[in-house]
Amino acid sequence: MNTHSRSRRALGIAVALALAVTVSACGGRDAGRSGDAAEGAPSPGITDTTVTLGITTPLSGPTAGPGTCTVAGVTAYFGAKNAAGGVEFGDGKTRTVEIQALDDTYDPQQAAANYDQLKGEVFAMTAGLGTPTNRAWREAAIADEVPQVLIMTGDPLFSDTQQSPWQLGFVPIYQNEGAAFGELLASSGAAHRVAILSQNDDFGAGYVQGFKSAIEGAGNIEVVGELTYEATDTSVDAQITELANSGADVFFNAMSVTPLVIAALQKAQQLGWTPSWFLPSNTSSPTAILEPGGAAAFPGIYSVSFAKAPQSPAFAQDPDVVEYLAALKQYGNYPDLPAFPHCQWSWMIGATLEQAFQNMKEPTRDSFMEALRAIKDFQAPLMLPDTAVTTSESGQPAVSTVVVQKYNGRGYDTVEAFG
């Protein structure tokens, strides 16, 4: 259905140490500013032979698994390109792409500090995971005129060109994912009682907003219970117990914290409550979440996706997947099958960045942003049918289309109907 709508801490630290080189101490506010440069003069972080990208993302802590993937995928993509000679830019130069990645532990203050450390050395910041962490240095990036692009947050703020002229999100906004679930359920034709548990911030509110908008006017859907939790909570047992008493047959679980999702699945089973589940794309990993959570006990686990899952037997021989997994191992320092989709997403980010590089007329951040915002219907490697990268749609991130999928015990199958 279309709509517009492990932990790997040791590896993460290793990747960070391998990539995070010491940068010079020119970290003043003006270090990243390109506005005073002569017109057409190269921006910081780009030479005739190299371009350097910065990433701040969690490489330790509860979100180290997805965060490590954000570095591994894009590092693998450009590692392969560099080995093949580099990327051809629109100004006629061929450059290798270097990446500097720092660990922010999903802490906004550390993310801002990382940005301050990197901004004078990098051409653009990209791929970093997290809404509060990306928000922490968004205004500084605007003031410094440093691109903060193709980042992994569904916060619509980053795709509003008026408020965020130097930003662009990559993954679908929360509302689009929530709406996809609502549309699927409303179109089932059968009566359903829905319980909702959401994170008490913009992440959770966005999912709920999209879901409720899609079921508005649908006479077959009744929301019978709705609670929230804090992202800093260590347990949601009380909320799951209360919602289990609602009698809901569908549970919309808008969570972003991996351990809490696993615990919620396990608690529901302890209570004998086994509804169908809707899970956000970033917390629906088959191996990292569903298997330890005992997801096979439920009649259906649904999520949304725009990327081919390497775990799925259907994609075992897919050329995109084969190439991606080989590069991830050789250049991304990631030898295992990815447990999180963020590895796939950041591989796609690499391909999208290459599209922009190829169309830059000058080695400047302005020219890069212009080229980036002109991408339309780009079928990035690993993209599922009926999804694409389009960067020019106002208020939307680079990827705004998703398909709904159902857990099949190993991976996911795309579905057209609920049930």
Side-chain angles (χ1 to χ4, degrees), residues 30-196:
D30 292 338
R33 185 180 295 278
S34 61
D36 295 336
E39 186 175 354
S43 295
I46 188 167
T47 71
D48 283 352
T49 57
T50 65
V51 61
T52 304
L53 305 174
I55 301 175
T56 176
T57 202
L59 298 171
S60 62
T63 53
T68 301
C69 263
T70 64
V71 177
V74 71
T75 301
Y77 187 85
F78 285 118
K81 290 294 177 180
N82 292 345
V87 174
E88 294 183 9
F89 281 60
D91 65 351
K93 309 290 186 183
T94 296
R95 300 178 172 90
T96 56
V97 181
E98 299 177 354
I99 294 173
Q100 297 187 21
L102 297 177
D103 182 8
D104 61 35
T105 70
Y106 207 60
D107 174 70
Q109 290 186 331
Q110 185 60 51
N114 289 348
Y115 167 70
D116 283 339
Q117 182 177 345
L118 292 169
K119 67 184 181 184
E121 300 294 323
V122 302
F123 180 69
M125 299 289 291
T126 190
L129 167 67
T131 297
T133 43
N134 274 296
R135 274 187 174 242
W137 51 277
R138 169 185 156 274
E139 292 185 2
I142 294 171
D144 296 334
E145 299 179 355
V146 174
Q148 180 184 13
V149 297
L150 306 181
I151 51 177
M152 295 191 193
T153 168
D155 188 338
L157 176 64
F158 292 92
S159 300
D160 184 320
T161 56
Q162 295 300 312
Q163 298 187 73
S164 303
W166 289 90
Q167 282 73 22
L168 179 63
F170 184 71
V171 296
I173 60 175
Y174 311 135
Q175 288 82 353
N176 288 357
E177 291 201 8
F181 293 131
E183 290 168 3
L184 183 77
L185 197 61
S187 65
S188 75
H192 296 288
R193 295 163 58 85
V194 183
I196 301 174

Side-chain angles (χ1 to χ4, degrees), residues 206-375:
Y207 275 98
V208 175
Q209 180 187 12
F211 179 80
K212 287 186 173 178
S213 176
I215 65 171
E216 186 174 357
N220 59 320
I221 309 299
E222 180 184 5
V223 176
V224 296
E226 184 173 358
L227 298 173
T228 62
Y229 74 99
E230 302 299 327
T232 54
D233 286 350
T234 57
S235 173
V236 292
D237 284 0
Q239 290 95 326
I240 296 296
T241 300
E242 182 174 341
L243 292 173
N245 292 329
S246 69
D249 66 299
V250 176
F251 182 32
F252 183 24
N253 191 189
M255 280 182 159
S256 71
V257 183
T258 297
L260 291 180
V261 180
I262 297 172
L265 286 162
Q266 294 172 339
K267 183 63 179 179
Q269 292 169 73
Q270 292 171 6
L271 296 169
W273 183 44
T274 55
S276 293
W277 287 53
F278 289 150
L279 280 173
S281 58
N282 63 334
T283 49
S284 56
S285 166
T287 54
I289 294 177
L290 301 188
E291 288 181 11
F298 299 90
I301 303 286
Y302 298 84
S303 188
V304 296
S305 181
F306 58 89
K308 299 171 183 175
Q311 301 89 348
S312 174
F315 298 121
Q317 302 303 319
D318 184 279
D320 278 359
V321 172
V322 171
E323 179 183 4
Y324 156 68
L325 291 178
L328 197 64
K329 181 178 181 179
Q330 182 170 358
Y331 303 108
N333 194 26
Y334 203 107
D336 302 328
L337 200 62
F340 300 94
H342 306 71
C343 284
Q344 289 89 269
W345 299 347
S346 62
W347 176 267
M348 294 174 171
I349 287 172
T352 304
L353 287 169
E354 183 180 14
Q355 290 291 303
F357 291 157
Q358 289 175 340
N359 290 295
M360 289 171 53
K361 303 303 182 186
E362 298 175 338
T364 65
R365 290 166 172 166
D366 287 308
S367 184
F368 167 71
M369 290 299 295
E370 183 178 355
L372 179 64
R373 293 193 183 282
I375 297 171

